Amino acid sequence: MKAIAVEPGAGEPTLVERPRPEPEAGEALVRTLRVGVDGTDHEVIAGHHGEVPPGEDRLVLGHEAVGVVADPNGTDLEEGEYVVPTVRRPPDGTNEYFERGEPDMAPEGEYLERGIVGAHGFMAEYFTSPAETLVPIPERLAHLGFLVEPISVSEKAIEHAVAARSAFEWEPESALVLGNGSLGLLTLAMLEEVLGFDRTYCLGRRDRPDPTIDIIDELGATYVDSRETPVPEIPDEHESVDFVYEATGYAKHAFEPIEALAPNGVAALVGVPEPWSFEIDGGRLHREFVLHNKALVGSVNSHRGHFEAATDTLEGLPEWLFDDLVTGVYDLSEYERAFETGDEIVKTAVEFAPVR
Amino acid sequence: MKAIAVEPGAGEPTLVERPRPEPEAGEALVRTLRVGVDGTDHEVIAGHHGEVPPGEDRLVLGHEAVGVVADPNGTDLEEGEYVVPTVRRPPDGTNEYFERGEPDMAPEGEYLERGIVGAHGFMAEYFTSPAETLVPIPERLAHLGFLVEPISVSEKAIEHAVAARSAFEWEPESALVLGNGSLGLLTLAMLEEVLGFDRTYCLGRRDRPDPTIDIIDELGATYVDSRETPVPEIPDEHESVDFVYEATGYAKHAFEPIEALAPNGVAALVGVPEPWSFEIDGGRLHREFVLHNKALVGSVNSHRGHFEAATDTLEGLPEWLFDDLVTGVYDLSEYERAFETGDEIVKTAVEFAPVR
């Protein structure tokens, strides 16, 4: 079967031929339909992140997949059922994090990540996976199933942020998303359309006309150009916000939200920057953080419950959003196009088999 | 009646004569027994913090009080009942934070603080206070009642930190307290004796022999000298910790805990530093914060529920701790001694009337 793999640092993925996998006991065989491409894939391709499985020279890419069960292999799944696989797997048998259904809380060394860290991904015509890692989705969402994984990452981050405000009465009204990439835009849509925030803002550094700014406008959110209004100036220019979601991976965006948050607000961070030293007014930030009861939570990955919540969220988002957000779904014969980047490209996927 | 007041910036408190207050409807009159002195008092005395009530030239100090009801004045309280007053009051009538019993979550401008911001404190022979702000404590704790307020500050900070970890299974075993002042030591004792942490550490910058290090030793905690082992080196020297409690007001201690925390850990910050700019490796901190699901919560003040919890905590702490911690309780005739500072002084209080 065909698969899309990368030799770390080679700079571009290649099409490789691999044997079709045989499901082991407890695993199902899945026919891959679509697999999304995101920033993590580009980091793996560039050799900045990720790890090839031991003893191999290439990593099969892909961690945002949707497929259809080809062989349930004695599991509770049914042939023809649409499924989205979770990403983390235990490195040796299992461990406490996987046993309690919280692989997303496993520390480094206690997990592999399919398509990223030490385990082949889903960019192949077929993949196998333990039944409990395959989350069923309705047939009507199958064409968008590759968005469940990125949305699940936000489901978790938002769940942790809300938990951090659960010791008192917190009724957030305003939210700021840092980053107008596909994850930022999906999260902005969640906040606007599903979670009922009254006022939302999305930070980017692009000029109009731009397809991401069009989506921000269409959602009824306010676009904030970081070149004109850096994060610490947002309260003066717009308002202090109850919730900040950081999806830029820009290191200053871990600290600047303290100044953009309203009293009792919380910021969720999901970006993963490289080391970078800079100066901050740590005294002022510390003081403001304490005197106004603010909180910061870091969040990575997601567990099965977040995938299930993401499926519900996906169903609650308007159809036009996907038309505007998904700028390209490419057949395996032109898979390279899914990895192109540019201001006109928002979210892409590779199609391994047509979605009925 | 006699009261201890300060003219901001005068550098030392003075004994003043004031009329005994008359309780208004809903208020009780309280005979003050003891009032503790803490770092906030010293900041108010130095003129770095606090605000005199409008139209007055002096602020009566004191926010850590215990007293006995002298006149219930028609409230549900009983004459002779021992009570600890909460600290915040609404500036005008009331507001949403006070109405829902969460004055600790009120932003600047929405509260006064007795003895600190715009309202006279409890360092007077009598004070009045609305019945709902007076938390009854058992007679056997009356002599230590001035410790309820500082403990309540930690109750809140810990409650918020635990809430921030409530979206997953979190079973913390190790904790690090930054600061060996009286609040740090009381919190260390809570973590060791009441909350059941297996391993605790307390950071200071003192040489042995020292009374605070003696308390740390006696509690079974490990003393960490920050001059030898700065916070970021604690994981190598000792271990990564599940919980950090910052009570130094040293601005770098808002950010260094990210490096000292174990995966999925949380740091609670309660210090209030002045502005101070310095360099941090924000990229590395941001990355670590996200990839290991860490959290930071800022926390200030406390509400009635925290005072009630603090009373229970006080009861669970060993008697020897108070003997070692409370290094001086001074009669009004020598009140100046309660405001002295030095390595031999841990916690002091002024006694306005003898505790039976």
Side-chain angles (χ1 to χ4, degrees), chain A residues 95-165:
Chain A
N95 62 44
E96 57 173 316
Y97 301 98
F98 286 85
E99 275 165 17
R100 61 173 177 250
E102 294 176 349
D104 55 310
M105 302 308 288
E108 246 175 295
E110 300 276 340
Y111 62 82
L112 307 174
E113 283 179 342
R114 293 197 64 167
I116 309 170
V117 179
H120 288 308
F122 307 117
M123 283 195 177
E125 289 178 284
Y126 290 87
F127 64 85
T128 58
S129 200
E132 71 271 17
T133 65
L134 295 169
V135 182
I137 66 164
E139 179 173 356
R140 64 185 174 280
L141 294 179
H143 64 298
L144 297 170
F146 61 96
L147 297 175
V148 169
E149 194 278 338
I151 293 173
S152 77
V153 167
S154 294
E155 296 284 357
K156 174 183 167 183
I158 293 170
E159 181 189 49
H160 281 230
V162 169
R165 309 287 73 187

Side-chain angles (χ1 to χ4, degrees), chain A residues 288-319:
Chain A
E288 172 58 27
F289 196 69
V290 169
L291 290 181
H292 279 141
N293 294 295
K294 298 183 178 181
L296 284 181
V297 297
S299 179
V300 66
N301 195 255
S302 54
H303 63 48
R304 188 182 169 111
H306 303 124
F307 277 69
E308 289 164 354
T311 305
D312 291 344
T313 294
L314 194 60
E315 196 134 39
L317 294 176
E319 197 60 34

Side-chain angles (χ1 to χ4, degrees), chain A residues 4-6 13 35 41 44-45 59-63 115 120-123 339:
Chain A
I4 299 171
V6 70
V35 184
D41 295 309
V44 173
I45 292 165
L59 174 74
V60 175
L61 282 172
H63 59 280
H120 288 308
F122 307 117
M123 283 195 177
F339 294 93

Side-chain angles (χ1 to χ4, degrees), chain B residues 26-264:
Chain B
E27 290 187 334
L29 178 71
V30 179
R31 176 72 172 111
T32 310
L33 295 173
R34 293 176 168 187
V35 185
V37 175
D38 78 350
T40 301
D41 295 309
H42 288 289
E43 283 173 32
V44 173
I45 293 165
H48 295 154
H49 187 48
E51 205 178 292
V52 165
E56 307 209 22
D57 55 2
R58 278 191 177 79
L59 174 75
V60 175
L61 282 172
H63 59 281
E64 301 178 348
V66 58
V68 61
V69 175
D71 178 4
N73 190 37
T75 67
D76 287 343
L77 292 163
E78 284 176 29
E79 189 180 333
E81 198 166 9
Y82 292 90
V83 290
V84 170
T86 62
V87 177
R88 287 194 172 176
R89 300 291 177 273
D92 305 296
T94 186
N95 62 44
E96 56 173 316
Y97 301 97
F98 286 85
E99 275 166 15
R100 62 174 176 250
E102 295 176 349
D104 56 309
M105 303 308 288
E108 245 175 297
E110 299 276 341
Y111 62 81
L112 306 175
E113 283 179 342
R114 293 199 64 168
I116 309 170
V117 180
H120 287 309
F122 308 116
M123 282 195 179
E125 289 178 284
Y126 291 86
F127 64 87
T128 57
S129 199
E132 71 272 16
T133 66
L134 295 169
V135 182
I137 66 163
E139 180 174 354
R140 64 185 174 281
L141 295 179
H143 64 299
L144 297 170
F146 61 96
L147 297 175
V148 169
E149 194 277 341
I151 294 174
S152 77
V153 167
S154 294
E155 296 284 355
K156 173 182 167 182
I158 293 171
E159 181 189 50
H160 281 228
V162 169
R165 310 286 73 188
S166 62
F168 63 96
E169 197 171 314
W170 189 58
E171 290 178 350
E173 295 177 357
S174 55
L176 164 66
V177 173
L178 304 179
N180 57 338
S182 58
L183 183 58
L185 294 172
L186 281 169
T187 307
L188 185 69
M190 284 172 68
L191 296 167
E192 263 288 339
E193 304 283 328
V194 180
L195 298 175
F197 277 77
D198 293 341
R199 300 173 308 282
T200 61
Y201 302 85
C202 188
L203 185 95
R205 33 187 296 122
R206 300 263 196 99
D207 293 320
R208 294 175 190 272
D210 176 87
T212 68
I213 303 176
D214 290 345
I215 292 172
I216 294 166
D217 289 344
E218 188 71 22
L219 284 169
T222 301
Y223 173 60
V224 179
D225 186 334
S226 65
R227 296 165 300 183
E228 290 163 16
T229 312
V231 174
E233 291 174 23
I234 289 175
D236 280 346
E237 192 64 34
H238 300 284
E239 63 176 313
S240 299
V241 292
D242 298 313
F243 176 58
V244 173
Y245 182 90
E246 176 276 321
T248 57
Y250 178 69
K252 289 189 177 177
H253 286 166
F255 308 98
E256 291 178 351
I258 296 171
E259 301 187 78
L261 283 172
N264 311 331

Side-chain angles (χ1 to χ4, degrees), chain A residues 5 43 68-69 82 109 111 124 131 143 168 191 202 215 293 295 307 345 349:
Chain A
E43 282 173 33
V68 60
V69 175
Y82 292 89
Y111 62 82
H143 64 298
F168 63 97
L191 296 167
C202 188
I215 292 172
N293 294 295
F307 277 69
I345 296 163

Side-chain angles (χ1 to χ4, degrees), chain A residues 43 48-49 88 97 100 102 104-108 111 156 159-160 163-171 246 248-255 258 263-264 267 269-301 303 306, chain B residues 43 48-49 88 97 100 102 104-108 111 156 159-160 163-171 246 248-255 258 263-264 267 269-301 303 306:
Chain A
E43 282 173 33
H48 295 153
H49 188 48
R88 287 195 171 174
Y97 301 98
R100 61 173 177 250
E102 294 176 349
D104 55 310
M105 302 308 288
E108 246 175 295
Y111 62 82
K156 174 183 167 183
E159 181 189 49
H160 281 230
R165 309 287 73 187
S166 63
F168 63 97
E169 197 171 314
W170 190 57
E171 289 177 350
E246 175 276 322
T248 57
Y250 177 69
K252 289 188 178 178
H253 286 165
F255 309 97
I258 296 171
N264 311 331
L269 312 182
V270 305
V272 182
E274 297 292 308
W276 178 33
S277 290
F278 48 81
E279 196 173 275
I280 59 170
D281 186 342
R284 195 161 48 83
L285 291 177
H286 185 170
R287 184 183 185 88
E288 172 58 27
F289 196 69
V290 169
L291 290 181
H292 279 141
N293 294 295
K294 298 183 178 181
L296 284 181
V297 297
S299 179
V300 66
N301 195 255
H303 63 48
H306 303 124
Chain B
E43 283 173 32
H48 295 154
H49 187 48
R88 287 194 172 176
Y97 301 97
R100 62 174 176 250
E102 295 176 349
D104 56 309
M105 303 308 288
E108 245 175 297
Y111 62 81
K156 173 182 167 182
E159 181 189 50
H160 281 228
R165 310 286 73 188
S166 62
F168 63 96
E169 197 171 314
W170 189 58
E171 290 178 350
E246 176 276 321
T248 57
Y250 178 69
K252 289 189 177 177
H253 286 166
F255 308 98
I258 296 171
N264 311 331
L269 312 182
V270 304
V272 183
E274 297 293 307
W276 177 32
S277 291
F278 48 81
E279 195 172 276
I280 59 170
D281 186 342
R284 196 161 48 82
L285 292 177
H286 185 169
R287 185 184 184 89
E288 172 58 26
F289 196 68
V290 170
L291 290 181
H292 280 140
N293 295 295
K294 297 183 178 181
L296 285 182
V297 297
S299 179
V300 68
N301 194 255
H303 63 49
H306 303 125

